[in-house]
Every structure is written in structure tokens, then in C-alpha cells.
Amino acid sequence: TKLAASGVLVPISDSLRNALSQQDLFRFSACLALVRFCGPHVGAGNITSVQEAIRVATGVLTLPVDLHRPQEQLETTENLKASCISTLEALSSNASLWSSISKDALPSIVTYLHSSCDMGGVDAPARRNTLSAALRAIVRIIQQPSHAVASARAGLAEPLARLVIGGTQGTSLEMGDDEMPLLALEVLHVMASNPEARRAAKLFECGVIESVCCAIAKSATNKPKKPTDGRADVAFWGLEILHEWLNDMGGLQTILQSPFAQGFMEIVARDPNFVKALCSTLLLRTGMKFGKFDSDPKETESIPPIYGPPLVLVKENCAGFANTHIAALNILFAICVLDVALEFNKVWGIILLENTKSSEVDDSERLSATFCAHFLRLLMDDHQDKIFIPIDPRSMDAFNTISRPLVRHSLLDGLKNSLSKRMGDPYMISMVVAFEVPRVCLSVWKDPALAEPAFALVRLMVDSHEDDLIHIFVESKETLLSLFDLLNADSEVETIGDQAEQIRGVVASILGSLAENGLLTESVGKFGVRSAAIAALASACLADEKTTADDDDEDQLATSATMSSRCMQCLVELLDGGKGKMMTLSPGEAVAIAQSLGQKICHMVISRFLERAKLDQYDMEDEEDVMDAPDVKMLCALAQHSGALKVVASIGGLHALSLIAAEGELSAILALKIACEENPSILIDVDGHISVMKLISEDESISWRDETGRRKIETAVFGLLTDLCEFTKGRRAVTSAEHCADCISHAAHVIGALVVEEEHQEVTKTIAVVEEEETEEANNKNDEAEAETGRDGDAEAEVETETVTDEHNEEETNNEITENPMTTGTVAPPLLPPTYARKKAISSDSKLESAALSFLAKIVSIESCRKALMSDTHFIATLSLLAKDTTSFDLQLQATAFLSQVAPFATNIKMEGAVSTTELAEAFIEVLQVQTLPLSKSKGSEVNANSLKSIAAEGLAVIFDDTPEEHQEKAIRAVISSWMSIIKKNTVQRNTGSESDQRDSARLAYGLSILLARASSMGALRKILADMELLKSMIHVVEWRYDSKASNNDQMYWEVSVSNSIQHLSSVICATEESQKVLGVSVKALVSTILTMARPGKAPRKTCDFSTALRRVVETKRDLSGAAAAERILKRILH
């Protein structure tokens, strides 16, 4: 380095030039040595002298070689050139000299390489070392794209191609000490990787493509060296060069029109080892073995290794593919396509080993058949590797329509030719099973271009020892599925003549043989393909309809030995659920049968009912009734699946289904219910609703098997009618039907059966209500009123009775809940009617009662229906009792909702055909008074106690103004209790429950606040509404909702509740002090009220105070009326 920096190389170019002109070889060599050792270390300042030295030295490389001169002179010249090459190699390590080497030395190096190849003798060790040194220098400088282009333009590719071929002589490529061909291929790879350099090099014309194919063929080996093997680099670089060249040629159409395509195929055909190496690489994915059929799983068949060794696997991205093997297989695919498309017809002969020694014929046929079968399987759409899918999506169309069909056609022909010669060979049978040849053939059968060779191959397998080979069609799930797909070949394959019929005939023959041997049912169950099997068989059952349509013998199809009858037999075998059992179908199976056989099945069902209507006796074997007919069972089984039901409905099959439903078949009723959920018109148009309404209006016409069955069917009928009534058209059709009155009556009867009416045993007793139990005797002296008492039935026992308590005792209980006992007097209870209602114990299954009540709720808005229901006093009493009862939450909720629904139609006084506000008020009040309720038992139900109470509050709000004063007071006490409970739960306790519970809490609070706001204008209720605990709870809700950390959930309901609370607080706080004293209101106590909220897992915290909350109400103006009232309160409490 110091010597280079000293400037010793400044005069070196002159010295070189003088020594060369004076033929002073010693001096010239010494100067070259000085340049070789110092040049790599020269800096940018001294580079000019080295560049001049390069020009002088490279001039030596262009010296002509006269072979007629003495050998000594030739050797001297060669040694001098070798010294120049060695110097250039050393200088190439200095990147600052690359441009100079590329510009000045590269043309001379190319000339030297050409002359070396022309002279021969590249096998001489000295010459190979010199050439390797030149290539190493080029490898370094060519990494820059501009230098790569310059090299290509200088004609470097041609001598490199010759060096690759010259360095790979022999049967294999052994990379030992000789690195010349490897370096040459590396330089070619770098040039081919540069698009501009690749075009300038003209890879095909200069022989690079041929040399690459030769190098790839020679790089194949079964035992690559460890840890590295130069043959791996050869395969990698060579495959990338081929792919780059093929990609430059464009798409398939462009390649076929290229003048180089034919030449490329000539190159490939001249080197069979190249093709065989690619074929061996493809088979390498099998492990060169596969399992023997019908033997121990560990026993295998070995694939004959006639193709020779495969290419080395390099697990790196190669030409856009995952590794060298996949890249090689795509080269093989392209070659196969071109061989067929160009009608070259030479490469396929190599692949199928047509010119094989007589001693290897057996193995050649086995190997070619195995290759074709494996290649076909790799080309399947569902193959997991997808190794032949084009990288460029734009090539997919050509791949699917041209390339792959061409290759498949040749493979099918090759496989057929090999199998036809030795179909009985155990190796061939195992190969056919292992590589799923039947499935492959059946899958490509759908392609019109491939139908003929695929059909010929399948027929070969069927006709040759059919009994021995029939099992190969059920050895895999995919094969069996493909077989079923081909049952409808006439609709899947566009063929000419009678080929479609022949295809279906062959498939039917296969299935028939499988069924006879019991293999069909076994394999269908083994692979879990019942759905696909049933779909195909069901479609095939109608295959002969066209040929038998004009036949007078209607039974011919069922009795003749046709393909359809055999398929029907298979279908029955697969679907038979056993005597007395309904067939079980999956959704896919049901849809398949409905699409193919639905119309025929429905026609048969209707025909059976028409015949029964016309004949006194229905002629059936074993005296079976219509419900035991197979078509009836099939239709019921189909109707249980929504997809199949839609198909049945679309073909007008609901009429047939409604006929079955009218017989009391539960599955048919449930199916009709599903069918009318989206569009009830399809059922109404065929009078299906009338058919099911008869079931609950003509009790004597149906012979129920047992009570449980009757309840299930009636539940289904009411459910169906309820769904119909969801729509205006459906509700109009049901309510106008002839049997509607009977249905209403029966529904009311079902609900009314929950209670019984018994006579009262009237007694009298003095009732007094006192504030405290200790002063009862003193208060009784001042109490002169007497009241009758009666006995009320116990809800849990039919024998026990209890004394009816006075309403004032109930008020006392409510007062204790609200912690604000009020002064009460003696009130005589109303006279009880001669009978009273007592609820029976409700069983765990109340679905029928629930369904009946749901149906009535849908039609109660119709005046005629409502009058019929309201005139039934027992029904109203039952609903009131159910609404008050807490033992069955679902029924209680429904009854409460029903009463709330009829609230708008209530009257002040009891009238026939109407319910009174008093009756409704009593029921709603009792619902609000309930402290604990059981949860709903309905699966997935989101209703809860808050749902129930909010419904009661809504109903009570409707009738509140028209309710008697004593009931208003009782109602407000219940409202206050519920309000304080729900506010405490949401604020102090923070026990808000599920999301639905939170939502219903907000809704309940809203309903209660509406009632409190309504009552605040009634003077009689003024004192009750001024209770301090109530007022504090209202303050709490204001502080909670306007706290800085308040949640925004269910904001609408809570905002209204807060607004109503502020309005009520305003009326109390802003009243006169005298009024406040009378009512017992302490404004100071109210203002000082601060909510303390629980926080799960944390210490409780206080919210903002009342004044701060009010200021936020005013500032945020989320509620303008509330803001105005809040501002009014602030003025009062701050002044």
C-alpha cells in the first residue's frame, strides 16, 4: 500500500510500453508484477498511471497467434497473455478501476476468450487457469449493470457459452478444482439477470441456451456433495437463465410464433438427459415409491429409476419460484406444451421412454405410467402445491384453456397406452390407486377437449378385470365424489353423439357394481359423503324420464333394469332410516333431493290425498295409511331444512306440505312456520293456514296419540298463526278465516285452563290498619268500621285458604318499603264476586300456553277479535292472575305485555267486550310491587325483571288518568318503590347486570319518571311525592348522570328520567317554605345530598354535589327544559 502511494507506478505505463517495443520480456514481466501487486491499492489520485498500464497490458491479449511459429514462441506468447490476465484479475479487486477495465480491457478479454476457444486446448490445465482468472475478473466488474451491458455488447456471451459446453464434457458435471465452467455460467447468469444486457447478448443466437441446457443436464445427481456442491449453482443459474429467456419471448401465443421456439425444441430433443433430469426431478416428489394396494401400509412399490438422477434442490427463490425443483418443473411444463403445440412430437417420446432397450420395457412402461399419473395429479385444481400455476395472473387464461389441456391430453394418452399393455400388473393397480387416477380422469372428464381420452381410460379400467378393479373407484374420497359428479354427464360435458349417454352408462355400471358388493354404502359412510352421493343419485333417478314420458306403463321406470332404477335403489339404501323412523338428511342432502326430485315428490303426495278423497279405501300395501307413504316421509324430511324448504316452496310444494300438516304431522307444521317467516303469501295463497287452523277447531276429527303430542302440535299451530299475523296480509287472512273464532276460543281455553274458579266462603271481620303493632289495641277502639273478609285460594295448594287482607295493609307494606309510612284509615273492601280465580300449579312446559297467548296478542288489535276475548271474564281474570304470579316469569311477562297492549281500549267502568282500567291497574301495580323475580327459562332470552316492570309501567301510564283515586295512590306508592330501587341499583350499588339488563333499567326508569311527572300535578298525591327519600333518589340520578365520569349508555332514556326528576325537584324546592314544612321537606338536607357510588374492586367514591350537577345541566344544555328548571333551583338554593 505504501509503495502504491509513493508514486512508483507513475512511469510504469511508459516502462511497459518501452519493454514491449524492445521485446524485453523480463522487464515487461517485472513491470506487470509491480502493477499486479501495487495496482489494487492505488488511490484515486494515482489511478491514471494504472489505467495507462491497463491499456498497454491488454494490448498483449489481442496479439495474433500463428500456429506455424515454433512451439517455444507460442508458449512465450501464451505466458505473456497469462501474466496480463493475472494482472487484470488483481486490478479488478480495486473498484475504482472497474470502469477502466470494462472500457479498455474487456474487449481484449473477449478477443482472448474467442481465440482460446478457436484454438482448442481449453482442457489444458494452464489454459483453464488463465481462462478462470479472466472470468474471475469479469465476475467482479460485471456486477454493475452498465458493465454487464457493455460485456454483452462486446460479444462476451458467445465464448462463455462455448466455455460452458467445453467445460462440461462427459456424462456428468463434477465441480472439483476446475471452476472455469462454473464461472462462465455465473457471468452468463449476471448478464441474463439484466434485461438490457440479456437482449444485447442474444442468448439463443450465441448458443447460451444450448449450453445452459447441457450444463443443467450434467448437473443432475443423486448424491450432492456436502456442505456445498457447485452443481447446485449450475442448476440454479441455468434455470434462472432459461426462465428469463422464455419470459422475454412473451405469452404462449407469442412463443408459438417466435422463430426461436422450434430451435429451442431441437436443442431439448438433442439432449435427452436434460429432459430425463427434469422428469426425474418431478418424480422426486413421490420419494420414488408409493404404497402397495391391499397390503400392509408399510409395504411399498419402488418407482424404476430409469430417468436417471434429478437436479439438486436449492431452497432459495429461483426465477420467482420457491426453489430450483419447482422452477425445473415449470420448464418441463413449458417444454411439454411447446412439443404438442408446435407438433414437434419428439420430446414426448423421450418422456414416455419409447426408445427403450428390450430388457427395460417392463420398467419403462411402469415408469412412464407413473410419471403421467403423478403429473396429472399435480395439475389438478385442488392439489395443495399449485406448482404449475403461472406467476403472472395475466397468463391464467391461457394456462386454463390451452397449456394445461394440451399437457393433460398427452398425459392421458400416454397413461392409457401404458396401462393397456399391463392393466393386470399389481404395480399398475397400486399405482392407479396411489395416484388417484380414477379421480383425475373423472375430474378432467368435464372438459370437452379431454372427455374422450379420459373416458377411454376409465373404460379401460372398468372393462379390464372389472371385478378386481371396481374397488379403485372408492379408495379415496375425491374419486368417489368425482364419480357422483359424472352421473349427470349430459349437463356437465358438451359432447357430441351418444358419448354423454355412454359416460353415464359407465358410471351407472360402476355404481351398480359397488352397490351389489356393498362397497357403496360402506365407502359413503367411510368418507362422509352422504350429501354428495344423495345429490347425484337423486338427480340420476330422473335420468330416464324423457324416454319413459310417452310410455303407457307407469310402473316401467320402477321395475325395469335401467340406470335410474339402480340409482334409485342406491338412494333408498342410503336414506332408509328404518321402519317407523323419519329419514335424517343434512342440509346439503335435502337441497339436492329437493332440487332434483322435489316436484315429483310433491306431485305424488297430492295425488295420494286426491285418491284418498275419491276412494272409500286407499289401496296401499300392508294397509298403510297415507302418512306412511315414502313420498310423504321424504317431503317431511326435506321440509326440515330451510334450503330445501325454499326449493319446495318455489315449485309450489307448500300445498302438498299443508295437506300433510292437516293430518297433524308436527314436522310439516313446523316447516310451514319456517316457510312463512319471510313471505306468508306463499302459504296463504294455497290456503295452508286454513289446513292447520282446522287442527284446533275440529277436535273430533283428529285422533291424538297422547296428550304430549297434542300439546306439541297445538303449540306449533299457534306458532305458525303468530308468524302469519306478523304481516298485514297474514293477519287479515287468519282473522277472516272461517275457523278464526274457533282458534280464538281454543287459545283462550288453553290459557283459561291455567286457573280454576271456586265459590267464596264469606265471613266478616273487623279490619283495622295501624302504624305500629304495639298500638293496635288503642287504635282498634277508635276504629268503628267493619269490613267483610273472604278467603283467597292459595297459589300452591288447592285445599288451603287464607284470610283476604285489606288494601290498607298492602299500603302499609308499601309504606315500609318506601320508609315513609302514611296515616291511613279504615276502608271497607269491595264485595267479592261469588267465585274467585285460583291458579293451578304450572308445569315446567308451558310452551302451548305461551304460544296461544302470543297468537292472541297478534290479533287483539282487531276489534272483532278483541271483543270476543274481552267478553270472556274468565280469560281476563286468568290474565290478571298470570300477570301477578311470579312462579312462571315467561307467562307473567307475556300476560303483562298483553294487558299493556289492550290498555288503550280499557274503559272506566266494566263493560261487556271491554276490560276496565281498574282490573288493569291492579295487575300492573302488583307487577311493580314484586321485589324479586325468577329469570326467564327461555334459551337465549334477554328479558329480565326490568323488562317486565317497564312493560307494566308503560301500561299503567296509559290508564293512570282514568284510574280511581285509591288505585292512583296505590300505584304511585308502587312506582316510588320501584323508582328508588332501580336508582339505587344503578347509582349506589352499581349492580347493573348484563347489557340487556342495563338497557331495560334505563327504560324502566324512564317509564317510572313519566308516571311520577304525571302524578305531580295531582294534589291528592302531593305529600307522597314529597317524600325525602324519593327526592334524594332524584338528586342522586342527577348527580350520577352529570358526573364527569358518567357513562353515556342508554342516554336517551336516562336523559328524560333526569329531566323529569329536575322538573319535580324544581316544583318542591322552589315552593313556599310553609308548604315545605307541611310536606316535611328540608331543602338544606336535599342540597347537601351527595351520591356515593360503589366501584367494583376499588374504594367507593363521591360524585359531584347537587349544585355542581345543576350547573352542568345549565352549561351543557343537553336538556333545555331541564336546564331551565335547574337554573330555577340554583337561584333558590344559592339565594
Side-chain angles (χ1 to χ4, degrees):
T1 302
K2 292 182 179 179
L3 188 61
S6 66
V8 68
L9 295 179
V10 172
I12 200 66
S13 60
D14 293 335
S15 298
L16 281 171
R17 189 176 294 105
N18 293 334
L20 185 62
S21 62
Q22 298 173 7
Q23 297 185 352
D24 187 350
L25 299 182
F26 177 80
R27 182 181 173 191
F28 184 82
S29 298
C31 291
L32 275 181
L34 188 61
V35 173
R36 182 166 62 252
F37 290 114
C38 297
H41 308 289
V42 172
N46 299 321
I47 200 171
T48 303
S49 58
V50 179
Q51 291 174 340
E52 289 295 329
I54 290 174
R55 295 187 185 97
V56 175
T58 54
V60 176
L61 297 178
T62 60
L63 293 176
V65 178
D66 187 358
L67 297 178
H68 300 290
R69 298 180 66 181
Q71 183 64 30
E72 183 179 355
Q73 292 184 5
L74 293 176
E75 291 179 356
T76 300
T77 303
E78 183 63 29
N79 291 334
L80 192 61
K81 290 181 179 182
S83 297
C84 292
I85 291 294
S86 178
T87 301
L88 290 174
E89 180 191 4
L91 294 176
S92 66
S93 62
N94 189 338
S96 61
L97 297 174
W98 285 359
S99 296
S100 179
I101 295 174
S102 176
K103 178 181 178 182
D104 301 323
L106 190 58
S108 300
I109 295 176
V110 172
T111 301
Y112 173 73
L113 294 176
H114 270 293
S115 64
S116 297
C117 293
D118 292 338
M119 290 174 57
V122 295
D123 291 334
R127 177 69 61 83
R128 295 177 76 90
N129 290 336
T130 302
L131 293 173
S132 297
L135 294 176
R136 283 193 294 270
I138 295 174
V139 166
R140 290 174 181 169
I141 68 171
I142 204 173
Q143 301 300 328
Q144 287 191 0
S146 60
H147 297 165
V149 175
S151 300
R153 291 173 177 170
L156 179 62
E158 183 178 352
L160 290 178
R162 297 172 67 181
L163 289 177
V164 170
I165 293 179
T168 56
Q169 299 299 323
T171 57
S172 64
L173 183 64
E174 294 290 345
M175 292 298 172
D177 297 332
D178 183 13
E179 58 178 342
M180 182 194 69
L182 189 62
L183 289 169
L185 193 60
E186 182 179 2
V187 174
L188 286 173
H189 175 257
V190 175
M191 293 171 61
S193 300
N194 186 313
E196 187 177 353
R198 189 167 61 245
R199 288 190 293 271
K202 299 181 180 180
L203 300 180
F204 184 83
E205 295 92 321
C206 66
V208 171
I209 299 302
E210 184 174 6
S211 67
V212 167
C213 291
C214 178
I216 291 174
K218 299 296 177 62
S219 70
T221 178
N222 285 316
K223 297 179 179 180
K225 296 180 180 180
K226 302 294 183 180
T228 59
D229 192 326
R231 287 169 292 195
D233 293 329
V234 172
F236 181 86
W237 292 331
L239 290 170
E240 285 212 328
I241 291 171
L242 289 180
H243 275 289
E244 294 290 358
W245 178 71
L246 287 173
N247 290 338
D248 281 348
M249 294 178 68
L252 179 61
Q253 297 292 347
T254 306
I255 293 177
L256 295 177
Q257 297 172 6
S258 170
F260 303 123
Q262 191 77 20
F264 174 63
M265 295 307 298
E266 292 285 355
I267 291 172
V268 173
R270 283 199 300 268
D271 194 350
N273 289 332
F274 173 64
V275 178
K276 291 180 179 180
L278 297 178
C279 294
S280 181
T281 303
L282 183 139
L283 285 176
L284 194 63
R285 302 176 72 83
T286 67
M288 297 305 290
K289 61 184 179 181
F290 53 84
K292 279 188 177 181
F293 173 70
D294 205 14
S295 62
D296 190 297
K298 295 182 180 180
E299 294 187 30
T300 59
E301 292 278 5
S302 297
I303 299 175
I306 298 177
Y307 282 137
L311 300 181
V312 180
L313 174 64
V314 180
K315 296 180 179 179
E316 295 180 9
N317 185 288
C318 179
F321 300 96
N323 52 58
T324 53
H325 279 185
I326 297 179
L329 297 187
N330 278 272
I331 292 292
L332 176 62
F333 181 80
I335 291 173
C336 292
V337 173
L338 292 175
D339 191 61
V340 179
L342 295 173
E343 298 181 355
F344 189 68
N345 300 326
K346 293 181 180 180
V347 175
W348 276 105
I350 299 173
I351 293 174
L352 299 178
L353 305 171
E354 293 177 353
N355 300 319
T356 308
K357 298 178 182 179
S358 58
S359 59
E360 297 180 346
V361 169
D362 292 346
D363 282 347
S364 296
E365 290 174 350
R366 291 172 178 170
L367 179 58
S368 61
T370 305
F371 173 86
C372 293
H374 181 51
F375 204 163
L376 281 168
R377 188 170 67 167
L378 291 176
L379 287 171
M380 294 286 288
D381 284 327
D382 58 354
H383 196 275
Q384 60 182 0
D385 290 341
K386 309 284 186 186
I387 58 178
F388 296 110
I389 300 299
I391 297 176
D392 188 354
R394 294 173 296 182
S395 303
M396 280 300 300
D397 184 60
F399 173 78
N400 289 324
T401 58
I402 303 176
S403 303
R404 185 167 61 173
L406 286 175
V407 176
R408 279 177 165 175
H409 198 287
S410 298
L411 291 171
L412 288 169
D413 283 339
L415 182 58
K416 185 192 70 172
N417 293 335
S418 298
L419 287 178
S420 62
K421 299 174 184 178
R422 48 181 60 252
M423 192 65 237
D425 186 354
Y427 175 96
M428 292 296 197
I429 295 176
S430 297
M431 183 274 297
V432 166
V433 174
F435 293 99
E436 304 176 293
V437 173
R439 180 175 77 93
V440 173
C441 293
L442 295 175
S443 64
V444 302
W445 214 338
K446 300 176 183 179
D447 188 336
L450 303 176
E452 184 176 352
F455 171 67
L457 187 54
V458 171
R459 186 152 218 168
L460 172 66
M461 290 185 285
V462 173
D463 293 343
S464 301
H465 309 287
E466 181 179 351
D467 293 339
D468 296 332
L469 289 178
I470 196 66
H471 51 264
I472 66 177
F473 290 93
V474 292
E475 286 302 315
S476 71
K477 177 180 178 181
E478 291 76 11
T479 304
L480 185 59
L481 289 175
S482 298
L483 195 64
F484 288 131
D485 289 340
L486 264 295
L487 272 177
N488 297 295
D490 55 341
S491 61
E492 296 289 341
V493 183
E494 299 175 4
T495 55
I496 59 175
D498 61 348
Q499 188 177 24
E501 191 63 29
Q502 292 180 10
I503 290 174
R504 295 176 63 251
V506 171
V507 175
S509 176
I510 296 171
L511 287 175
S513 299
L514 291 171
E516 290 175 3
N517 297 332
L519 294 173
L520 181 61
T521 303
E522 179 184 345
S523 58
V524 166
K526 175 183 177 182
F527 297 120
V529 293
R530 271 184 94 237
S531 298
I534 292 171
L537 291 171
S539 298
C541 287
L542 302 175
D544 290 344
E545 276 194 344
K546 294 181 180 179
T547 60
T548 60
D550 299 329
D551 203 317
D552 293 335
D553 186 2
E554 296 180 358
D555 295 330
Q556 183 180 1
L557 182 61
T559 57
S560 62
T562 63
M563 183 191 69
S564 294
S565 63
R566 299 188 79 177
C567 293
M568 178 67 80
Q569 181 180 359
C570 296
L571 181 61
V572 170
E573 181 182 349
L574 290 174
L575 296 180
D576 187 13
K579 188 175 181 180
K581 297 181 180 179
M582 179 181 293
M583 286 177 284
T584 55
L585 300 171
S586 71
E589 297 167 353
V591 170
I593 296 177
Q595 290 174 340
S596 57
L597 296 176
Q599 193 166 6
K600 184 175 182 179
I601 292 172
C602 292
H603 176 73
M604 293 173 64
V605 170
I606 294 174
S607 297
R608 290 184 186 275
F609 280 96
L610 289 175
E611 291 172 6
R612 191 183 70 169
K614 294 177 181 179
L615 302 175
D616 294 332
Q617 275 189 327
Y618 189 76
D619 188 11
M620 290 190 65
E621 187 178 355
D622 297 331
E623 298 182 354
E624 294 181 355
D625 63 17
V626 67
M627 297 304 295
D628 292 328
D631 44 289
V632 172
K633 294 172 65 176
M634 177 64 80
L635 184 57
C636 290
L638 293 178
Q640 303 312 302
H641 302 275
S642 59
L645 184 59
K646 290 180 180 178
V647 176
V648 172
S650 67
I651 60 177
L654 292 189
H655 179 42
L657 198 59
S658 64
L659 292 176
I660 301 174
E663 296 296 312
E665 175 58 42
L666 179 61
S667 61
I669 300 172
L670 295 176
L672 291 176
K673 182 178 184 298
I674 296 173
C676 74
E677 285 179 352
E678 295 182 1
N679 182 14
S681 298
I682 57 176
L683 182 60
I684 295 171
D685 293 342
V686 297
D687 292 335
H689 62 295
I690 296 178
S691 298
V692 297
M693 291 175 77
K694 291 179 181 180
L695 289 173
I696 51 178
S697 62
E698 298 176 359
D699 295 338
E700 296 181 0
S701 65
I702 303 297
S703 178
W704 304 111
R705 296 175 182 175
D706 52 44
E707 178 63 16
T708 301
R710 181 191 68 79
R711 288 181 62 86
K712 288 183 178 179
I713 291 173
E714 290 188 356
T715 300
V717 171
F718 282 128
L720 172 59
L721 295 177
T722 300
D723 289 347
L724 282 174
C725 292
E726 288 279 358
F727 303 88
T728 303
K729 182 177 180 180
R731 184 164 55 251
R732 186 183 301 115
V734 170
T735 55
S736 61
E738 177 184 357
H739 306 286
C740 181
D742 292 339
C743 292
I744 294 175
S745 176
H746 187 68
H749 170 74
V750 168
I751 299 168
L754 292 173
V755 302
V756 294
E757 291 186 349
E758 296 181 357
E759 294 184 356
H760 284 283
Q761 297 179 7
E762 295 185 4
V763 297
T764 58
K765 182 179 180 181
T766 302
I767 299 177
V769 179
V770 295
E771 292 184 359
E772 296 179 1
E773 187 175 352
E774 292 80 358
T775 60
E776 181 178 359
E777 183 177 354
N779 287 332
N780 281 339
K781 292 180 181 180
N782 298 325
D783 193 359
E784 298 178 355
E786 293 182 357
E788 289 184 353
T789 60
R791 292 191 305 165
D792 192 8
D794 191 342
E796 301 297 333
E798 295 183 4
V799 179
E800 297 180 5
T801 60
E802 62 182 9
T803 304
V804 179
T805 59
D806 183 88
E807 287 184 358
H808 293 283
N809 287 328
E810 294 177 359
E811 291 178 6
E812 180 180 335
T813 303
N814 290 334
N815 290 338
E816 290 175 357
I817 295 174
T818 59
E819 300 180 6
N820 185 30
M822 306 298 296
T823 303
T824 59
T826 302
V827 179
L831 291 176
L832 295 173
T835 61
Y836 73 99
R838 177 178 59 80
K839 184 178 71 65
K840 293 181 179 179
I842 298 178
S843 65
S844 58
D845 181 14
S846 58
K847 293 180 181 178
L848 173 58
E849 292 76 12
S850 178
L853 193 52
S854 296
F855 165 63
L856 294 178
K858 292 299 179 183
I859 63 173
V860 72
S861 59
I862 307 299
E863 184 177 3
S864 58
C865 300
R866 184 172 62 253
K867 286 184 177 180
L869 284 173
M870 297 301 103
S871 61
D872 187 349
T873 56
H874 181 70
F875 173 71
I876 298 300
T878 301
L879 287 182
S880 298
L881 195 57
L882 290 177
K884 302 171 186 177
D885 180 65
T886 61
T887 58
S888 175
F889 180 79
D890 291 327
L891 278 178
Q892 183 184 18
L893 182 69
Q894 281 189 288
T896 305
F898 186 91
L899 293 177
S900 180
Q901 194 172 349
V902 300
F905 310 105
T907 58
N908 291 333
I909 57 176
K910 180 62 178 176
M911 297 175 59
E912 184 176 357
V915 65
S916 70
T917 56
T918 301
E919 291 175 306
L920 295 180
E922 289 176 348
F924 294 146
I925 290 170
E926 289 219 22
V927 171
L928 292 176
Q929 287 176 338
V930 174
Q931 297 301 306
T932 58
L933 286 169
L935 296 178
S936 172
K937 297 180 180 180
S938 300
K939 187 176 181 180
S941 175
E942 293 187 354
V943 296
N944 47 65
N946 291 330
S947 306
L948 176 66
K949 290 190 175 184
S950 64
I951 293 173
E954 291 174 4
L956 186 59
V958 175
I959 63 171
F960 186 76
D961 292 340
D962 298 313
T963 302
E965 186 174 333
E966 61 272 16
H967 284 83
Q968 288 181 342
E969 181 177 344
K970 188 176 181 180
I972 287 302
R973 292 186 182 278
V975 168
I976 291 174
S977 176
S978 296
W979 165 267
M980 293 173 62
S981 175
I982 199 67
I983 297 304
K984 183 177 181 181
K985 181 179 179 181
N986 281 273
T987 58
V988 178
Q989 297 175 348
R990 299 294 293 162
N991 181 21
T992 54
S994 65
E995 183 177 347
S996 61
D997 197 13
Q998 296 176 34
R999 182 177 60 251
D1000 290 330
S1001 292
R1003 184 180 173 189
L1004 173 59
Y1006 161 73
L1008 296 174
S1009 70
I1010 292 295
L1011 284 165
L1012 292 173
R1014 183 86 60 81
S1016 63
S1017 62
M1018 300 180 180
L1021 303 176
R1022 186 181 179 192
K1023 185 170 181 58
I1024 299 175
L1025 294 173
D1027 176 58
M1028 284 292 290
E1029 295 301 322
L1030 170 63
L1031 299 176
K1032 288 180 180 181
S1033 70
M1034 289 183 170
I1035 291 176
H1036 285 169
V1037 75
V1038 175
E1039 292 173 339
W1040 169 49
R1041 295 305 296 181
Y1042 280 88
D1043 184 64
S1044 59
K1045 298 182 180 180
S1047 170
N1048 291 327
N1049 293 339
D1050 306 300
Q1051 187 168 352
M1052 179 181 71
Y1053 290 122
W1054 282 117
E1055 287 297 320
V1056 179
S1057 300
V1058 170
S1059 179
N1060 290 335
S1061 298
I1062 295 174
Q1063 295 291 347
H1064 183 65
L1065 289 170
S1066 173
S1067 65
V1068 175
I1069 295 175
C1070 296
T1072 64
E1073 293 183 357
E1074 181 180 359
S1075 175
Q1076 291 172 352
K1077 289 180 180 180
V1078 172
L1079 296 175
V1081 174
S1082 172
V1083 175
K1084 183 178 181 181
L1086 293 177
V1087 173
S1088 62
T1089 298
I1090 300 178
L1091 173 63
T1092 301
M1093 298 175 61
R1095 294 189 297 172
K1098 299 180 181 179
R1101 74 173 184 86
K1102 292 184 177 181
T1103 63
C1104 62
D1105 58 23
F1106 185 41
S1107 300
T1108 302
L1110 291 176
R1111 291 190 186 94
R1112 290 176 180 172
V1113 173
V1114 175
E1115 292 170 358
T1116 58
K1117 291 184 174 56
R1118 286 174 4 202
D1119 168 35
L1120 296 179
S1121 62
E1127 189 174 35
R1128 183 182 175 206
I1129 297 174
L1130 285 171
K1131 290 181 179 180
R1132 179 63 180 268
I1133 63 177
L1134 295 178
H1135 297 86

